[in-house]
Amino acid sequence: MRFRFCGDLDCPDWVLAEISTLAKISSVKLKLICGQVLKDLQGEGIDYEKILKLTSDAKFESGDVKATIAVLSFILSSAAKHSVGSDSLSSELQQLGLPKEHATGLCRSYEEKQSPLQDSLRTRSLRLNHLDSVSWRVDQTLSSSELQQVNEPLVHLKFTVRDGDRGVTEPFAMTVSAEKFRVLLAGE
Amino acid sequence: MLLVLSEEHKEHLGFLTQVDSAVVGEFGRIAVEFLRKGTNPKIYEGAARKLNVSSDVIQHGVEGLTYLLTEGSKLMISEIDFQDSVLVLGFSEELNKLLLQLYLDNRKEIRSILGELAPKLPSYHSLEWRLDVQLASRSLRQQIKPAVTIKLHLDQNGDQTTKILQTDPATLLHLIQQLEQALGEMKTNHCRRIVRNIK
């Protein structure tokens, strides 16, 4: 069966298996756990203690708690990835066997946070290097050992590049003669 | 297959005859603990004080025992071979039995620890990808050139390295096809026969 929130592919088996685990928690608690998972997906960190307290009624073992967090992370990030509307997400989750109140609660939390989630996923996309800053300096060569009156301008450029993974900045310096710099600016 | 022990090794293990079997058992336990977690020189000091000998002698004794166990486990020698190898040392019957028991109890674990020492190639950690389309360049306007940029994260003994690759979709499809063919090799008769025989 093809699901839009899985990118028009089959739903993974482990997600199907864990839907029944989700149904064991009450729908109110599920909405609160969703809030926590959404915070984690946006990079704000997760409060594991709170989730343990919310699932303690359903008497979850530690494996079940981790499975709940994993399946909610998958559903929410996958839905944001494929820009699925909250109504279609709700109907697809009900097709998978999630009870109606749970699906509605989950989709309401998703709908509130859909744009910020997509923005944070966009910033986390693959990017190799960033240009941090550019600084320049123009020098005027007055004379040299070859010729007494030179009067040539020289442009020094320094690009500070931030590496994608390590986050360290590296300077990249170069010198451009006046002619070459005019060609660079003209850009044709 | 017999273990051949050097003279120095025999000398180090000679110390074990001078202490009673409870102490030898203790040394055996320390040797296995060291194989699991790494050496702790403080234990030598404590034992040296209790037995009234220098800590060097204790260290040699424990190291000799460790070497005996690792060589035996590495070569997976049988009980009889182990007993014959130890007979050369001229220990008492009781001590021989103790050493044999120590070897048999810990053999499997030592083998699994030794298995982890083999050199490893960088292994897959994760993969990020991005699909770009080049629309124009300084030399040519109004193009459509799709490209897939891939960042491969590799892990080697805890060090993380990354490799950046770029390809066009046609080459990527070809690559996928080749890899699926490689996986398909597992289903041929030749591979099935070998896998059956290993199991």
Side-chain angles (χ1 to χ4, degrees):
Chain A
M1 272 212 64
R2 291 170 182 276
F3 289 97
R4 276 196 60 202
F5 82 92
C6 297
D8 289 334
L9 296 171
D10 286 330
C11 183
D13 292 332
W14 64 273
V15 174
L16 281 170
E18 296 302 328
I19 292 277
S20 54
T21 323
L22 284 183
K24 285 190 210 156
I25 329 172
S26 75
S27 61
V28 175
K29 295 224 173 91
L30 187 67
K31 195 153 184 262
L32 292 169
I33 298 180
C34 273
Q36 285 293 319
V37 173
L38 280 164
K39 264 175 56 185
D40 181 42
L41 286 173
Q42 288 175 291
E44 289 165 32
I46 195 166
D47 194 352
Y48 199 62
E49 295 300 325
K50 226 184 249 185
I51 301 192
L52 278 176
K53 237 189 295 167
L54 289 167
T55 54
S56 58
D57 287 358
K59 294 199 183 42
F60 274 5
E61 307 174 345
S62 70
D64 289 333
V65 178
K66 289 181 195 161
T68 315
I69 300 177
V71 79
L72 284 173
S73 298
F74 175 80
I75 293 177
L76 293 165
S77 62
S78 218
K81 194 197 289 192
H82 298 107
S83 288
V84 176
S86 76
D87 295 328
S88 37
L89 181 64
S90 167
S91 68
E92 285 183 349
L93 286 174
Q94 284 176 48
Q95 276 178 36
L96 285 172
L98 193 63
K100 189 159 189 282
E101 318 86 61
H102 294 69
T104 343
L106 204 155
C107 294
R108 207 165 297 141
S109 338
Y110 168 69
E111 193 170 356
E112 289 166 26
K113 292 278 181 171
Q114 186 177 3
S115 307
L117 188 59
Q118 283 182 321
D119 286 336
S120 79
L121 288 175
R122 194 168 297 138
T123 50
R124 262 194 278 160
S125 293
L126 174 59
R127 235 187 118 167
L128 299 173
N129 287 322
H130 299 236
L131 181 62
D132 233 17
S133 64
V134 183
S135 44
W136 58 268
R137 188 181 86 198
V138 179
D139 284 348
Q140 180 90 349
T141 315
L142 297 172
S143 76
S144 73
S145 57
E146 310 288 312
L147 187 61
Q148 199 187 22
Q149 284 257 352
V150 179
N151 280 333
E152 275 292 317
L154 199 62
V155 181
H156 295 265
L157 285 171
K158 185 169 97 166
F159 299 102
T160 320
V161 177
R162 180 185 300 275
D163 187 44
D165 307 313
R166 291 170 287 146
V168 291
T169 50
E170 266 174 52
F172 187 72
M174 62 190 200
T175 314
V176 195
S177 71
E179 286 292 315
K180 270 250 145 71
F181 194 65
R182 277 190 212 110
V183 174
L184 182 66
L185 279 187
E188 270 295 338
Chain B
M1 172 159 210
L2 284 184
L3 279 181
V4 178
L5 306 169
S6 67
E7 280 311 311
E8 197 185 345
H9 193 185
K10 287 185 201 158
E11 207 184 296
H12 291 174
L13 287 173
F15 166 66
L16 293 177
T17 50
Q18 299 166 15
V19 292
D20 50 81
S21 42
V23 180
V24 178
E26 184 61 23
F27 277 8
R29 200 191 51 80
I30 295 176
V32 176
E33 204 50 42
F34 282 1
L35 279 172
R36 273 191 212 127
K37 295 194 192 147
T39 57
N40 185 359
K42 284 189 251 169
I43 299 195
Y44 296 142
E45 305 282 313
R49 241 176 299 131
K50 255 191 282 180
L51 293 169
N52 230 347
V53 290
S54 80
S55 65
D56 278 345
V57 178
I58 307 266
Q59 185 173 355
H60 288 164
V62 173
E63 282 174 0
L65 212 51
T66 321
Y67 185 73
L68 192 66
L69 288 171
T70 48
E71 284 298 299
S73 310
K74 173 169 94 175
L75 300 166
M76 196 73 176
I77 54 182
S78 63
E79 288 183 32
I80 305 173
D81 286 339
F82 187 82
Q83 269 177 326
D84 292 338
S85 316
V86 168
L87 221 60
V88 158
L89 297 165
F91 288 169
S92 68
E93 194 50 47
E94 199 193 334
L95 200 52
N96 282 348
K97 262 208 218 93
L98 200 72
L99 288 174
L100 182 66
Q101 199 54 42
L102 193 65
Y103 169 65
L104 287 175
D105 288 340
N106 293 305
R107 179 162 62 171
K108 228 185 198 175
E109 195 182 347
I110 296 179
R111 274 181 77 81
S112 72
I113 297 174
L114 290 174
E116 287 171 29
L117 291 176
K120 285 195 227 176
L121 289 172
S123 62
Y124 173 80
H125 184 255
S126 61
L127 184 91
E128 288 177 74
W129 60 266
R130 182 177 91 184
L131 176 63
D132 296 323
V133 176
Q134 182 175 310
L135 298 173
S137 72
R138 186 178 169 170
S139 339
L140 183 64
R141 306 294 154 82
Q142 303 200 336
Q143 307 170 0
I144 295 190
K145 208 155 99 168
V148 179
T149 312
I150 299 176
K151 196 181 214 174
L152 186 61
H153 291 260
L154 299 168
D155 189 28
Q156 184 172 29
N157 296 333
D159 297 324
Q160 294 233 3
T161 50
T162 50
K163 274 213 154 18
I164 299 178
L165 307 160
Q166 195 174 53
T167 174
D168 57 281
T171 313
L172 187 62
L173 284 172
H174 179 72
L175 186 70
I176 295 174
Q177 194 188 39
Q178 293 293 320
L179 289 172
E180 283 183 347
Q181 272 183 10
L183 277 179
E185 269 299 302
M186 280 295 290
K187 301 201 180 107
T188 57
N189 283 328
H190 182 72
C191 281
R192 280 216 188 109
R193 245 179 283 143
I194 294 180
V195 168
R196 237 179 289 147
N197 281 325
I198 294 178
K199 280 207 198 120

